[in-house]
mmCIF file of all heavy atoms in Angstrom:
data_model
loop_
_atom_site.group_PDB
_atom_site.id
_atom_site.type_symbol
_atom_site.label_atom_id
_atom_site.label_comp_id
_atom_site.label_asym_id
_atom_site.label_seq_id
_atom_site.Cartn_x
_atom_site.Cartn_y
_atom_site.Cartn_z
ATOM 1 N N HIS A 187 20.882 11.948 11.318
ATOM 2 C CA HIS A 187 21.995 11.053 11.211
ATOM 3 C C HIS A 187 22.229 10.162 12.343
ATOM 4 O O HIS A 187 23.090 9.246 12.330
ATOM 5 C CB HIS A 187 23.261 11.695 10.691
ATOM 6 C CG HIS A 187 23.342 12.106 9.236
ATOM 7 N ND1 HIS A 187 22.976 13.574 8.782
ATOM 8 C CD2 HIS A 187 23.516 11.499 8.104
ATOM 9 C CE1 HIS A 187 22.944 13.541 7.528
ATOM 10 N NE2 HIS A 187 23.347 12.323 7.111
ATOM 11 N N ASP A 188 21.569 10.576 13.472
ATOM 12 C CA ASP A 188 21.839 9.988 14.660
ATOM 13 C C ASP A 188 20.936 8.745 15.032
ATOM 14 O O ASP A 188 19.768 8.963 15.186
ATOM 15 C CB ASP A 188 21.651 11.021 15.764
ATOM 16 C CG ASP A 188 22.142 10.565 17.236
ATOM 17 O OD1 ASP A 188 22.162 9.295 17.461
ATOM 18 O OD2 ASP A 188 22.427 11.492 17.970
ATOM 19 N N PRO A 189 21.517 7.516 15.012
ATOM 20 C CA PRO A 189 20.709 6.309 15.246
ATOM 21 C C PRO A 189 19.995 6.368 16.550
ATOM 22 O O PRO A 189 18.885 5.764 16.746
ATOM 23 C CB PRO A 189 21.666 5.216 15.053
ATOM 24 C CG PRO A 189 23.017 5.781 15.312
ATOM 25 C CD PRO A 189 22.925 7.229 14.839
ATOM 26 N N ARG A 190 20.508 7.004 17.552
ATOM 27 C CA ARG A 190 19.852 7.046 18.884
ATOM 28 C C ARG A 190 18.564 7.885 18.710
ATOM 29 O O ARG A 190 17.582 7.627 19.379
ATOM 30 C CB ARG A 190 20.714 7.671 19.948
ATOM 31 C CG ARG A 190 22.060 6.884 20.194
ATOM 32 C CD ARG A 190 23.014 7.615 21.158
ATOM 33 N NE ARG A 190 23.337 9.038 20.423
ATOM 34 C CZ ARG A 190 23.894 9.996 21.100
ATOM 35 N NH1 ARG A 190 24.216 9.858 22.357
ATOM 36 N NH2 ARG A 190 24.136 11.159 20.428
ATOM 37 N N ILE A 191 18.648 8.952 18.011
ATOM 38 C CA ILE A 191 17.406 9.797 17.751
ATOM 39 C C ILE A 191 16.353 9.012 16.957
ATOM 40 O O ILE A 191 15.136 8.999 17.327
ATOM 41 C CB ILE A 191 17.704 11.117 17.136
ATOM 42 C CG1 ILE A 191 18.723 11.946 17.920
ATOM 43 C CG2 ILE A 191 16.415 11.938 16.668
ATOM 44 C CD1 ILE A 191 18.115 12.470 19.155
ATOM 45 N N ALA A 192 16.839 8.377 15.828
ATOM 46 C CA ALA A 192 15.946 7.530 15.004
ATOM 47 C C ALA A 192 15.178 6.460 15.794
ATOM 48 O O ALA A 192 14.009 6.242 15.507
ATOM 49 C CB ALA A 192 16.718 6.932 13.933
ATOM 50 N N LYS A 193 15.907 5.825 16.806
ATOM 51 C CA LYS A 193 15.259 4.761 17.581
ATOM 52 C C LYS A 193 14.172 5.241 18.426
ATOM 53 O O LYS A 193 13.304 4.465 18.888
ATOM 54 C CB LYS A 193 16.315 4.108 18.483
ATOM 55 C CG LYS A 193 17.236 3.315 17.657
ATOM 56 C CD LYS A 193 18.271 2.540 18.558
ATOM 57 C CE LYS A 193 19.316 1.669 17.748
ATOM 58 N NZ LYS A 193 20.251 1.047 18.541
ATOM 59 N N GLU A 194 14.036 6.563 18.725
ATOM 60 C CA GLU A 194 13.013 7.170 19.567
ATOM 61 C C GLU A 194 11.772 7.453 18.757
ATOM 62 O O GLU A 194 10.704 7.868 19.326
ATOM 63 C CB GLU A 194 13.542 8.392 20.236
ATOM 64 C CG GLU A 194 14.598 8.340 21.144
ATOM 65 C CD GLU A 194 14.476 7.345 22.343
ATOM 66 O OE1 GLU A 194 13.261 7.426 22.838
ATOM 67 O OE2 GLU A 194 15.259 6.536 22.717
ATOM 68 N N CYS A 195 11.738 7.302 17.375
ATOM 69 C CA CYS A 195 10.592 7.483 16.559
ATOM 70 C C CYS A 195 9.643 6.311 16.309
ATOM 71 O O CYS A 195 10.083 5.155 16.754
ATOM 72 C CB CYS A 195 11.150 8.025 15.178
ATOM 73 S SG CYS A 195 12.074 9.468 15.199
ATOM 74 N N ASP A 196 8.535 6.564 16.022
ATOM 75 C CA ASP A 196 7.533 5.466 15.725
ATOM 76 C C ASP A 196 7.968 4.510 14.653
ATOM 77 O O ASP A 196 7.776 3.336 14.620
ATOM 78 C CB ASP A 196 6.182 6.074 15.414
ATOM 79 C CG ASP A 196 5.675 6.887 16.516
ATOM 80 O OD1 ASP A 196 5.908 6.677 17.682
ATOM 81 O OD2 ASP A 196 4.848 7.791 16.096
ATOM 82 N N ARG A 197 8.514 5.093 13.622
ATOM 83 C CA ARG A 197 8.850 4.386 12.433
ATOM 84 C C ARG A 197 10.146 5.045 11.742
ATOM 85 O O ARG A 197 10.255 6.249 11.855
ATOM 86 C CB ARG A 197 7.673 4.370 11.456
ATOM 87 C CG ARG A 197 7.728 3.650 10.237
ATOM 88 C CD ARG A 197 6.418 3.411 9.500
ATOM 89 N NE ARG A 197 5.625 4.655 9.348
ATOM 90 C CZ ARG A 197 5.422 5.310 8.130
ATOM 91 N NH1 ARG A 197 6.032 4.726 7.039
ATOM 92 N NH2 ARG A 197 4.600 6.301 8.109
ATOM 93 N N ILE A 198 10.871 4.234 11.073
ATOM 94 C CA ILE A 198 12.120 4.734 10.360
ATOM 95 C C ILE A 198 11.961 4.446 8.899
ATOM 96 O O ILE A 198 11.623 3.237 8.446
ATOM 97 C CB ILE A 198 13.425 4.065 10.828
ATOM 98 C CG1 ILE A 198 13.617 4.355 12.368
ATOM 99 C CG2 ILE A 198 14.655 4.499 10.109
ATOM 100 C CD1 ILE A 198 14.702 3.625 13.040
ATOM 101 N N VAL A 199 12.059 5.413 8.098
ATOM 102 C CA VAL A 199 12.084 5.258 6.653
ATOM 103 C C VAL A 199 13.539 5.576 6.155
ATOM 104 O O VAL A 199 14.082 6.590 6.495
ATOM 105 C CB VAL A 199 11.028 6.021 5.883
ATOM 106 C CG1 VAL A 199 9.733 5.501 6.082
ATOM 107 C CG2 VAL A 199 11.101 7.507 6.207
ATOM 108 N N GLU A 200 14.070 4.713 5.374
ATOM 109 C CA GLU A 200 15.463 4.832 4.978
ATOM 110 C C GLU A 200 15.482 4.978 3.493
ATOM 111 O O GLU A 200 14.878 4.291 2.639
ATOM 112 C CB GLU A 200 16.340 3.657 5.381
ATOM 113 C CG GLU A 200 17.841 3.734 4.976
ATOM 114 C CD GLU A 200 18.660 2.658 5.476
ATOM 115 O OE1 GLU A 200 18.022 1.605 5.947
ATOM 116 O OE2 GLU A 200 19.872 2.724 5.485
ATOM 117 N N ILE A 201 16.276 5.961 3.076
ATOM 118 C CA ILE A 201 16.519 6.169 1.483
ATOM 119 C C ILE A 201 17.939 5.865 1.269
ATOM 120 O O ILE A 201 18.833 6.438 1.773
ATOM 121 C CB ILE A 201 16.093 7.648 1.119
ATOM 122 C CG1 ILE A 201 16.064 7.714 -0.363
ATOM 123 C CG2 ILE A 201 16.904 8.659 1.778
ATOM 124 C CD1 ILE A 201 15.488 9.020 -0.924
ATOM 125 N N VAL A 202 18.081 5.022 0.226
ATOM 126 C CA VAL A 202 19.406 4.696 -0.374
ATOM 127 C C VAL A 202 19.328 4.693 -1.878
ATOM 128 O O VAL A 202 18.410 3.980 -2.412
ATOM 129 C CB VAL A 202 19.863 3.288 0.186
ATOM 130 C CG1 VAL A 202 21.147 2.930 -0.349
ATOM 131 C CG2 VAL A 202 19.844 3.252 1.742
ATOM 132 N N ASP A 203 20.194 5.351 -2.471
ATOM 133 C CA ASP A 203 20.176 5.368 -3.886
ATOM 134 C C ASP A 203 18.785 5.779 -4.472
ATOM 135 O O ASP A 203 18.392 5.172 -5.494
ATOM 136 C CB ASP A 203 20.649 4.160 -4.565
ATOM 137 C CG ASP A 203 22.096 3.819 -4.230
ATOM 138 O OD1 ASP A 203 22.873 4.855 -3.957
ATOM 139 O OD2 ASP A 203 22.498 2.723 -4.092
ATOM 140 N N GLY A 204 18.079 6.675 -3.934
ATOM 141 C CA GLY A 204 16.921 7.098 -4.348
ATOM 142 C C GLY A 204 15.696 6.219 -4.176
ATOM 143 O O GLY A 204 14.616 6.482 -4.700
ATOM 144 N N LYS A 205 15.788 5.129 -3.423
ATOM 145 C CA LYS A 205 14.795 4.177 -3.119
ATOM 146 C C LYS A 205 14.572 4.099 -1.608
ATOM 147 O O LYS A 205 15.493 4.344 -0.808
ATOM 148 C CB LYS A 205 15.087 2.756 -3.630
ATOM 149 C CG LYS A 205 15.187 2.775 -5.294
ATOM 150 C CD LYS A 205 15.578 1.509 -5.742
ATOM 151 C CE LYS A 205 15.757 1.444 -7.224
ATOM 152 N NZ LYS A 205 16.157 0.091 -7.752
ATOM 153 N N LEU A 206 13.221 3.931 -1.298
ATOM 154 C CA LEU A 206 12.808 3.927 0.170
ATOM 155 C C LEU A 206 12.412 2.657 0.718
ATOM 156 O O LEU A 206 11.811 1.874 0.095
ATOM 157 C CB LEU A 206 11.616 4.944 0.220
ATOM 158 C CG LEU A 206 11.400 5.668 1.544
ATOM 159 C CD1 LEU A 206 12.461 6.626 1.810
ATOM 160 C CD2 LEU A 206 10.037 6.474 1.531
ATOM 161 N N THR A 207 12.908 2.340 1.799
ATOM 162 C CA THR A 207 12.557 1.303 2.676
ATOM 163 C C THR A 207 12.095 1.665 4.097
ATOM 164 O O THR A 207 12.367 2.786 4.477
ATOM 165 C CB THR A 207 13.591 0.251 2.849
ATOM 166 O OG1 THR A 207 14.685 0.835 3.535
ATOM 167 C CG2 THR A 207 14.054 -0.363 1.522
ATOM 168 N N THR A 208 11.104 0.771 4.628
ATOM 169 C CA THR A 208 10.632 1.135 5.966
ATOM 170 C C THR A 208 10.796 0.097 6.915
ATOM 171 O O THR A 208 10.622 -1.124 6.560
ATOM 172 C CB THR A 208 9.031 1.539 5.778
ATOM 173 O OG1 THR A 208 8.779 2.659 4.869
ATOM 174 C CG2 THR A 208 8.382 1.843 7.202
ATOM 175 N N HIS A 209 11.148 0.438 8.130
ATOM 176 C CA HIS A 209 11.187 -0.720 9.257
ATOM 177 C C HIS A 209 10.988 0.008 10.473
ATOM 178 O O HIS A 209 11.104 1.156 10.717
ATOM 179 C CB HIS A 209 12.706 -1.258 9.107
ATOM 180 C CG HIS A 209 13.706 -0.333 9.170
ATOM 181 N ND1 HIS A 209 14.418 0.099 10.258
ATOM 182 C CD2 HIS A 209 14.367 0.306 8.114
ATOM 183 C CE1 HIS A 209 15.465 0.972 9.947
ATOM 184 N NE2 HIS A 209 15.313 1.074 8.685
ATOM 185 N N GLU A 210 10.687 -0.832 11.456
ATOM 186 C CA GLU A 210 10.313 -0.410 12.704
ATOM 187 C C GLU A 210 11.722 -0.256 13.555
ATOM 188 O O GLU A 210 12.707 -0.981 13.234
ATOM 189 C CB GLU A 210 9.507 -1.549 13.563
ATOM 190 C CG GLU A 210 8.213 -1.892 12.939
ATOM 191 C CD GLU A 210 7.347 -0.517 12.973
ATOM 192 O OE1 GLU A 210 7.337 0.192 13.988
ATOM 193 O OE2 GLU A 210 6.498 -0.400 11.994
ATOM 194 N N PRO A 211 11.811 0.778 14.425
ATOM 195 C CA PRO A 211 12.980 0.999 15.113
ATOM 196 C C PRO A 211 13.274 -0.159 16.138
ATOM 197 O O PRO A 211 12.345 -0.679 16.733
ATOM 198 C CB PRO A 211 12.687 2.430 15.935
ATOM 199 C CG PRO A 211 11.217 2.395 16.000
ATOM 200 C CD PRO A 211 10.711 1.777 14.726
ATOM 201 N N GLU A 212 14.475 -0.419 16.415
ATOM 202 C CA GLU A 212 14.860 -1.438 17.331
ATOM 203 C C GLU A 212 14.519 -0.858 18.853
ATOM 204 O O GLU A 212 14.562 0.415 18.961
ATOM 205 C CB GLU A 212 16.211 -1.797 17.300
ATOM 206 C CG GLU A 212 16.717 -2.430 16.061
ATOM 207 C CD GLU A 212 18.227 -2.628 15.904
ATOM 208 O OE1 GLU A 212 18.975 -2.353 16.880
ATOM 209 O OE2 GLU A 212 18.731 -3.070 14.810
ATOM 210 N N PRO A 213 14.312 -1.619 19.756
ATOM 211 C CA PRO A 213 14.143 -1.104 21.081
ATOM 212 C C PRO A 213 15.305 -0.221 21.548
ATOM 213 O O PRO A 213 16.527 -0.582 21.341
ATOM 214 C CB PRO A 213 14.099 -2.467 21.988
ATOM 215 C CG PRO A 213 13.610 -3.462 21.058
ATOM 216 C CD PRO A 213 14.336 -3.082 19.760
ATOM 217 N N SER A 214 15.082 0.934 21.901
ATOM 218 C CA SER A 214 16.176 1.834 22.366
ATOM 219 C C SER A 214 16.541 1.819 23.724
ATOM 220 O O SER A 214 15.857 1.447 24.608
ATOM 221 C CB SER A 214 15.643 3.336 22.025
ATOM 222 O OG SER A 214 14.670 3.681 22.916
#
């Protein structure tokens, strides 16, 4: 749930209402 942790990853996948989207993390 921590956006600072997520930004340290190679890729972020987000699930909302049972559907998935993928995006690159912003520069941390």
Side-chain angles (χ1 to χ4, degrees):
H187 283 100
D188 189 335
R190 298 171 303 169
I191 297 292
K193 287 179 180 179
E194 298 297 323
C195 297
D196 299 330
R197 179 162 57 104
I198 300 172
V199 292
E200 182 175 12
I201 186 167
V202 178
D203 296 331
K205 297 179 180 179
L206 208 64
T207 59
T208 301
H209 51 91
E210 299 297 325
E212 299 173 4
S214 66

